[in-house]
Coordinates of all heavy atoms in Angstrom, one line a residue:
M1 N 68.5 -125.8 36.5 CA 67.9 -125.0 37.5 C 67.8 -125.9 38.8 O 67.6 -127.1 38.7 CB 66.5 -124.6 37.2 CG 65.7 -123.8 38.3 SD 64.0 -123.5 37.8 CE 64.3 -122.0 36.9
K2 N 68.0 -125.2 40.0 CA 68.0 -125.9 41.1 C 67.1 -125.0 42.3 O 67.3 -123.8 42.2 CB 69.4 -126.1 41.7 CG 69.5 -127.3 42.7 CD 71.0 -127.7 42.9 CE 71.1 -128.8 44.0 NZ 70.7 -130.0 43.6
I3 N 66.3 -125.7 43.0 CA 65.5 -125.0 44.0 C 65.9 -125.5 45.3 O 66.2 -126.6 45.5 CB 64.1 -125.0 43.7 CG1 63.7 -126.6 43.6 CG2 63.7 -124.2 42.4 CD1 62.2 -126.8 43.5
R4 N 65.7 -124.6 46.4 CA 65.8 -125.1 47.7 C 64.9 -124.2 48.5 O 64.5 -123.2 48.1 CB 67.3 -125.0 48.3 CG 67.8 -123.6 48.3 CD 69.3 -123.6 48.8 NE 69.4 -123.9 50.3 CZ 69.1 -123.0 51.2 NH1 69.0 -121.9 51.0 NH2 69.2 -123.5 52.5
I5 N 64.5 -124.7 49.7 CA 63.7 -124.1 50.7 C 64.5 -123.7 51.9 O 65.2 -124.5 52.5 CB 62.5 -124.9 51.2 CG1 61.6 -125.2 50.0 CG2 61.8 -124.3 52.3 CD1 60.5 -126.1 50.3
E6 N 64.4 -122.4 52.3 CA 65.1 -122.0 53.5 C 64.1 -122.4 54.6 O 63.1 -121.7 54.9 CB 65.3 -120.4 53.5 CG 66.4 -119.9 52.7 CD 66.8 -118.4 52.8 OE1 66.8 -117.9 54.0 OE2 66.6 -117.8 51.9
S7 N 64.4 -123.5 55.3 CA 63.5 -124.1 56.2 C 63.1 -123.1 57.4 O 62.0 -123.2 57.9 CB 64.0 -125.4 56.8 OG 65.3 -125.2 57.4
E8 N 64.0 -122.3 57.7 CA 63.7 -121.3 58.8 C 62.7 -120.3 58.5 O 62.0 -119.7 59.3 CB 65.0 -120.7 59.4 CG 65.8 -119.8 58.4 CD 66.7 -120.6 57.4 OE1 66.7 -121.8 57.5 OE2 67.5 -120.0 56.7
R9 N 62.5 -120.0 57.2 CA 61.4 -119.1 56.8 C 60.1 -119.8 56.4 O 59.1 -119.1 56.4 CB 62.0 -118.4 55.5 CG 63.0 -117.4 55.6 CD 63.3 -116.8 54.2 NE 64.3 -115.7 54.3 CZ 63.9 -114.5 54.3 NH1 62.6 -114.1 54.1 NH2 64.7 -113.5 54.4
C10 N 60.2 -121.0 56.1 CA 58.9 -121.7 55.7 C 57.9 -121.8 56.8 O 58.2 -122.2 57.9 CB 59.3 -123.2 55.3 SG 57.8 -124.1 54.7
K11 N 56.7 -121.4 56.5 CA 55.6 -121.4 57.4 C 54.5 -122.5 57.1 O 53.4 -122.5 57.7 CB 54.9 -120.0 57.4 CG 55.8 -119.0 57.8 CD 56.1 -118.9 59.4 CE 56.8 -117.7 59.9 NZ 58.2 -117.7 59.6
G12 N 54.8 -123.3 56.1 CA 53.8 -124.4 55.8 C 52.6 -124.1 55.1 O 51.6 -124.8 55.2
H13 N 52.5 -122.9 54.3 CA 51.3 -122.6 53.6 C 50.9 -123.6 52.6 O 49.8 -123.8 52.2 CB 51.5 -121.2 52.9 CG 52.0 -120.2 53.8 ND1 51.2 -119.5 54.7 CD2 53.2 -119.5 53.9 CE1 52.0 -118.6 55.4 NE2 53.1 -118.6 54.9
Q14 N 52.0 -124.2 52.0 CA 51.8 -125.2 50.9 C 51.4 -124.6 49.5 O 51.0 -125.3 48.7 CB 50.9 -126.3 51.3 CG 51.3 -127.0 52.6 CD 50.5 -128.1 53.1 OE1 49.5 -128.6 52.3 NE2 50.6 -128.4 54.3
N15 N 51.6 -123.3 49.4 CA 51.3 -122.7 48.1 C 52.3 -123.3 47.1 O 52.0 -123.6 45.9 CB 51.6 -121.2 48.0 CG 50.7 -120.5 49.0 OD1 49.9 -121.1 49.7 ND2 50.8 -119.2 48.9
C16 N 53.5 -123.6 47.5 CA 54.5 -124.3 46.5 C 54.0 -125.7 46.1 O 54.3 -126.0 44.9 CB 55.8 -124.3 47.2 SG 55.8 -125.2 48.8
V17 N 53.5 -126.4 47.1 CA 53.0 -127.8 46.7 C 51.8 -127.7 45.7 O 51.8 -128.6 44.8 CB 52.6 -128.5 48.0 CG1 52.2 -130.0 47.6 CG2 53.8 -128.6 48.9
R18 N 50.9 -126.7 45.9 CA 49.9 -126.6 45.0 C 50.3 -126.1 43.6 O 49.8 -126.6 42.6 CB 48.8 -125.6 45.6 CG 48.0 -126.2 46.7 CD 46.9 -125.3 47.0 NE 47.4 -124.1 47.8 CZ 47.5 -124.1 49.1 NH1 47.2 -125.3 49.9 NH2 48.0 -123.1 49.7
A19 N 51.2 -125.2 43.6 CA 51.8 -124.7 42.3 C 52.7 -125.7 41.5 O 52.7 -125.7 40.3 CB 52.7 -123.4 42.6
A20 N 53.4 -126.5 42.2 CA 54.3 -127.5 41.6 C 54.5 -128.7 42.4 O 55.5 -129.0 43.1 CB 55.7 -126.8 41.4
P21 N 53.4 -129.6 42.3 CA 53.5 -130.8 43.2 C 54.6 -131.8 42.7 O 54.9 -132.7 43.4 CB 52.1 -131.4 42.9 CG 51.5 -130.8 41.7 CD 52.2 -129.4 41.7
E22 N 55.0 -131.6 41.4 CA 56.1 -132.4 41.0 C 57.5 -132.1 41.6 O 58.4 -132.9 41.6 CB 56.3 -132.3 39.4 CG 55.1 -132.6 38.6 CD 54.2 -131.4 38.4 OE1 54.4 -130.4 39.0 OE2 53.4 -131.5 37.5
L23 N 57.6 -130.9 42.2 CA 58.8 -130.4 42.7 C 58.8 -130.3 44.2 O 59.8 -130.3 44.9 CB 59.1 -129.0 42.1 CG 59.3 -128.9 40.6 CD1 59.4 -127.6 40.2 CD2 60.5 -129.7 40.2
F24 N 57.6 -130.0 44.9 CA 57.6 -129.9 46.4 C 56.6 -130.9 46.9 O 55.7 -131.4 46.3 CB 57.0 -128.5 46.7 CG 57.9 -127.4 46.2 CD1 57.7 -126.9 44.9 CD2 58.9 -126.8 47.0 CE1 58.6 -125.8 44.4 CE2 59.7 -125.8 46.5 CZ 59.5 -125.2 45.3
V25 N 56.9 -131.3 48.1 CA 56.1 -132.2 48.9 C 56.0 -131.7 50.3 O 56.9 -131.0 50.9 CB 56.7 -133.7 48.8 CG1 58.0 -133.7 49.5 CG2 55.6 -134.7 49.3
V26 N 54.9 -132.0 51.0 CA 54.7 -131.7 52.4 C 55.3 -132.8 53.3 O 55.1 -133.9 53.1 CB 53.2 -131.6 52.8 CG1 53.1 -131.2 54.3 CG2 52.5 -130.6 51.9
G27 N 56.3 -132.4 54.1 CA 56.9 -133.3 55.0 C 56.0 -133.7 56.1 O 54.9 -133.2 56.3
E28 N 56.6 -134.7 56.9 CA 55.7 -135.2 58.1 C 55.5 -134.0 59.1 O 54.6 -134.1 59.9 CB 56.5 -136.4 58.7 CG 56.4 -137.6 57.9 CD 57.1 -138.8 58.5 OE1 57.5 -138.7 59.7 OE2 57.2 -139.9 57.9
D29 N 56.5 -133.1 59.1 CA 56.3 -132.0 60.0 C 55.3 -130.9 59.5 O 55.1 -129.9 60.2 CB 57.6 -131.3 60.3 CG 58.3 -130.9 59.0 OD1 57.7 -130.9 57.9 OD2 59.5 -130.3 59.1
G30 N 54.7 -131.1 58.3 CA 53.8 -130.1 57.8 C 54.4 -129.0 57.0 O 53.6 -128.2 56.4
F31 N 55.7 -128.9 56.9 CA 56.4 -127.9 56.2 C 56.8 -128.5 54.7 O 56.9 -129.8 54.6 CB 57.6 -127.4 56.9 CG 57.2 -126.7 58.2 CD1 57.2 -127.3 59.4 CD2 56.9 -125.3 58.1 CE1 56.8 -126.7 60.6 CE2 56.4 -124.6 59.2 CZ 56.5 -125.3 60.5
A32 N 57.1 -127.6 53.9 CA 57.4 -128.2 52.5 C 58.9 -128.6 52.4 O 59.8 -128.1 53.1 CB 57.2 -127.0 51.5
Q33 N 59.1 -129.5 51.4 CA 60.3 -130.1 51.2 C 60.5 -130.0 49.7 O 59.5 -130.2 48.9 CB 60.6 -131.5 51.8 CG 60.5 -131.5 53.2 CD 60.6 -133.0 53.8 OE1 60.6 -133.9 53.0 NE2 60.6 -133.1 55.1
V34 N 61.7 -130.0 49.1 CA 61.9 -130.2 47.7 C 62.1 -131.7 47.4 O 62.6 -132.5 48.1 CB 63.1 -129.4 47.1 CG1 62.8 -127.9 47.4 CG2 64.4 -129.7 47.9
R35 N 61.5 -132.1 46.2 CA 61.8 -133.5 45.8 C 63.1 -133.5 45.0 O 63.6 -132.5 44.5 CB 60.7 -133.9 44.8 CG 59.3 -133.9 45.5 CD 58.3 -134.3 44.4 NE 56.9 -134.2 44.7 CZ 56.3 -135.3 45.3 NH1 56.9 -136.4 45.5 NH2 55.0 -135.2 45.6
E36 N 63.6 -134.6 44.8 CA 64.8 -134.9 44.0 C 66.0 -134.0 44.2 O 66.5 -133.5 43.2 CB 64.4 -134.8 42.5 CG 63.2 -135.6 42.1 CD 63.5 -137.1 42.1 OE1 64.6 -137.5 42.1 OE2 62.5 -137.9 42.3
C37 N 66.2 -133.7 45.5 CA 67.3 -132.8 45.9 C 67.2 -131.4 45.3 O 68.2 -130.7 45.2 CB 68.6 -133.4 45.5 SG 69.0 -135.0 46.3
G38 N 66.0 -131.0 44.8 CA 65.8 -129.7 44.3 C 66.2 -129.6 42.8 O 66.2 -128.5 42.3
D39 N 66.6 -130.6 42.2 CA 66.9 -130.5 40.7 C 65.6 -130.3 39.9 O 64.7 -131.1 40.0 CB 67.7 -131.8 40.3 CG 69.0 -131.9 40.8 OD1 69.7 -130.8 41.0 OD2 69.5 -133.0 41.2
V40 N 65.6 -129.3 39.1 CA 64.4 -129.0 38.3 C 64.7 -129.3 36.8 O 65.4 -128.7 36.2 CB 64.0 -127.5 38.4 CG1 62.7 -127.2 37.5 CG2 63.8 -127.1 39.8
P41 N 63.9 -130.4 36.3 CA 64.0 -130.7 34.9 C 63.6 -129.5 34.1 O 62.6 -128.8 34.5 CB 63.1 -131.9 34.7 CG 62.7 -132.3 36.0 CD 62.9 -131.2 37.0
P42 N 64.1 -129.2 32.9 CA 63.7 -128.1 32.0 C 62.3 -128.0 31.9 O 61.7 -126.9 31.9 CB 64.4 -128.4 30.7 CG 65.6 -129.2 31.1 CD 65.2 -130.0 32.2
A43 N 61.5 -129.1 31.8 CA 60.1 -129.1 31.5 C 59.3 -128.5 32.7 O 58.1 -128.1 32.6 CB 59.5 -130.5 31.1
L44 N 59.9 -128.5 33.9 CA 59.1 -128.0 35.0 C 59.7 -126.6 35.6 O 59.3 -126.1 36.7 CB 59.4 -129.0 36.2 CG 58.7 -130.3 36.0 CD1 59.0 -131.3 37.1 CD2 57.2 -130.2 35.8
K45 N 60.5 -126.0 34.7 CA 61.0 -124.7 35.1 C 59.9 -123.6 35.3 O 60.0 -122.9 36.4 CB 61.8 -124.1 33.9 CG 62.6 -122.8 34.2 CD 63.5 -122.5 33.1 CE 64.1 -121.2 33.4 NZ 65.0 -120.6 32.3
E46 N 58.8 -123.6 34.6 CA 57.8 -122.7 34.8 C 57.1 -122.9 36.0 O 56.7 -122.0 36.8 CB 56.7 -122.7 33.6 CG 57.2 -122.2 32.3 CD 57.7 -120.8 32.5 OE1 57.0 -119.9 32.9 OE2 58.8 -120.4 31.8
Q47 N 56.8 -124.1 36.5 CA 56.2 -124.5 37.7 C 57.1 -124.0 38.8 O 56.6 -123.6 39.9 CB 55.9 -126.0 37.8 CG 54.7 -126.4 37.1 CD 55.0 -127.0 35.8 OE1 55.9 -126.6 35.1 NE2 54.4 -128.1 35.5
A48 N 58.4 -124.2 38.8 CA 59.4 -123.8 39.7 C 59.2 -122.3 40.0 O 59.2 -121.8 41.1 CB 60.7 -124.2 39.4
L49 N 59.2 -121.5 39.0 CA 59.1 -120.1 39.1 C 57.7 -119.7 39.6 O 57.7 -118.7 40.3 CB 59.4 -119.4 37.7 CG 60.8 -119.6 37.3 CD1 60.9 -118.9 35.8 CD2 61.9 -119.0 38.2
L50 N 56.7 -120.4 39.3 CA 55.4 -120.2 39.8 C 55.3 -120.4 41.4 O 54.8 -119.5 42.1 CB 54.3 -121.1 39.1 CG 52.8 -120.8 39.5 CD1 52.4 -119.4 39.1 CD2 52.0 -121.9 38.9
A51 N 56.0 -121.5 41.8 CA 56.0 -121.7 43.2 C 56.8 -120.6 43.9 O 56.5 -120.1 45.0 CB 56.7 -123.1 43.5
W52 N 57.9 -120.3 43.4 CA 58.8 -119.2 43.9 C 58.0 -117.9 44.1 O 58.0 -117.2 45.0 CB 60.0 -119.0 42.9 CG 60.9 -117.8 43.3 CD1 61.8 -117.8 44.2 CD2 60.9 -116.6 42.6 NE1 62.4 -116.5 44.2 CE2 61.8 -115.8 43.2 CE3 60.1 -116.1 41.5 CZ2 62.0 -114.5 42.8 CZ3 60.4 -114.8 41.1 CH2 61.3 -114.0 41.6
A53 N 57.3 -117.6 43.0 CA 56.5 -116.3 43.0 C 55.3 -116.3 44.0 O 54.8 -115.3 44.5 CB 55.9 -116.1 41.7
N54 N 54.9 -117.6 44.3 CA 53.7 -117.8 45.2 C 54.0 -118.0 46.7 O 53.2 -118.3 47.5 CB 52.8 -118.8 44.7 CG 51.9 -118.2 43.6 OD1 50.9 -117.6 43.8 ND2 52.3 -118.4 42.3
C55 N 55.3 -118.0 47.0 CA 55.7 -118.3 48.4 C 55.7 -116.9 49.2 O 56.5 -116.0 48.9 CB 57.1 -118.8 48.5 SG 57.6 -119.0 50.3
P56 N 54.8 -116.7 50.0 CA 54.6 -115.5 50.7 C 55.7 -115.1 51.7 O 55.9 -114.0 52.2 CB 53.2 -115.5 51.5 CG 53.0 -117.0 51.6 CD 53.6 -117.7 50.4
E57 N 56.4 -116.1 52.1 CA 57.6 -116.0 53.1 C 58.9 -115.8 52.4 O 60.0 -115.7 53.1 CB 57.6 -117.3 54.0 CG 56.3 -117.5 54.7 CD 55.7 -116.4 55.5 OE1 56.6 -115.6 56.1 OE2 54.5 -116.4 55.7
F58 N 58.9 -115.8 51.0 CA 60.3 -115.6 50.3 C 61.2 -116.8 50.8 O 62.4 -116.6 50.9 CB 60.9 -114.3 50.5 CG 60.0 -113.1 50.1 CD1 59.3 -112.5 51.0 CD2 59.7 -112.9 48.8 CE1 58.4 -111.4 50.7 CE2 58.8 -111.9 48.4 CZ 58.2 -111.2 49.4
A59 N 60.6 -118.0 51.0 CA 61.4 -119.1 51.6 C 62.1 -120.0 50.4 O 62.9 -120.8 50.7 CB 60.6 -120.0 52.4
I60 N 61.6 -119.7 49.1 CA 62.2 -120.5 48.0 C 63.3 -119.8 47.4 O 63.2 -118.7 47.0 CB 61.1 -120.9 47.0 CG1 60.0 -121.6 47.8 CG2 61.6 -121.7 45.8 CD1 58.8 -121.9 46.9
E61 N 64.5 -120.5 47.2 CA 65.5 -119.9 46.4 C 65.7 -120.7 45.1 O 65.6 -121.9 45.1 CB 66.9 -120.1 47.2 CG 67.0 -119.2 48.4 CD 68.4 -119.1 49.0 OE1 69.2 -119.9 48.5 OE2 68.7 -118.5 50.0
V62 N 65.9 -119.9 44.1 CA 66.0 -120.5 42.7 C 67.4 -120.2 42.2 O 67.8 -119.0 42.2 CB 65.0 -120.1 41.7 CG1 65.3 -120.6 40.4 CG2 63.6 -120.3 42.3
E63 N 68.2 -121.2 41.9 CA 69.5 -121.0 41.4 C 69.4 -121.2 39.8 O 69.1 -122.4 39.4 CB 70.5 -122.0 41.9 CG 70.7 -121.9 43.4 CD 71.7 -122.9 43.9 OE1 72.4 -123.6 43.1 OE2 71.7 -123.1 45.1
D64 N 69.6 -120.2 39.1 CA 69.7 -120.3 37.6 C 70.3 -119.1 37.1 O 69.8 -118.0 37.0 CB 68.1 -120.4 37.2 CG 68.0 -120.6 35.6 OD1 69.1 -120.7 35.0 OD2 66.9 -120.8 35.2
A65 N 71.4 -119.3 36.5 CA 72.2 -118.3 35.9 C 71.4 -117.5 34.7 O 71.7 -116.4 34.4 CB 73.5 -118.8 35.3
E66 N 70.4 -118.2 34.1 CA 69.8 -117.7 33.0 C 68.6 -117.0 33.4 O 67.9 -116.3 32.5 CB 69.3 -118.9 32.1 CG 70.5 -119.6 31.4 CD 70.0 -120.8 30.7 OE1 68.8 -120.9 30.3 OE2 70.8 -121.7 30.4
R67 N 68.2 -117.0 34.6 CA 66.9 -116.3 35.0 C 67.1 -114.8 35.0 O 68.0 -114.3 35.3 CB 66.5 -116.7 36.4 CG 65.1 -116.4 36.8 CD 64.6 -117.2 37.9 NE 65.4 -117.0 39.1 CZ 64.9 -116.2 40.1 NH1 63.8 -115.7 40.1 NH2 65.7 -116.1 41.2
Ligands
SF4_101 S1 54.8 -121.6 50.0 FE1 56.8 -121.0 51.0 S2 56.4 -120.9 53.2 FE2 54.7 -122.0 52.2 S3 55.1 -124.1 52.4 FE3 55.9 -123.4 50.4 S4 58.0 -122.8 50.8 FE4 57.0 -122.9 52.8

């Protein structure tokens, strides 16, 4: 699984960081960034989907053929 943030949609709520701090971090500009180039280890798949579901701006994309 891989995740990315559409930066033009991100409003900096940080819901994603709260849902999955292992996968998202707040950048110096106050907006979210993905860690580790967006690669999601299998053990963090649920957190990735939780963050995706909690982004009010629909700014998170999840690439996963199995989803
Ligand atoms: S929840 Fe969505 S809009 Fe808010 S910081 Fe995270 S990616 Fe950006």
Side-chain angles (χ1 to χ4, degrees):
M1 176 187 277
K2 200 164 175 78
I3 52 175
R4 63 179 291 272
I5 293 174
E6 285 186 54
S7 56
E8 62 276 9
R9 285 179 173 263
C10 180
K11 296 288 189 281
H13 310 286
Q14 302 176 20
N15 295 9
C16 53
V17 179
R18 284 189 287 275
E22 302 92 342
L23 299 172
F24 297 89
V25 64
V26 182
E28 290 181 4
D29 58 3
F31 295 95
Q33 299 173 356
V34 293
R35 296 180 186 267
E36 307 296 335
C37 300
D39 292 324
V40 179
L44 296 178
K45 183 176 176 179
E46 290 300 319
Q47 281 100 318
L49 293 176
L50 184 65
W52 171 78
N54 279 281
C55 177
E57 307 298 334
F58 305 104
I60 298 172
E61 286 189 0
V62 178
E63 295 175 19
D64 184 356
E66 297 175 16
R67 191 160 66 101

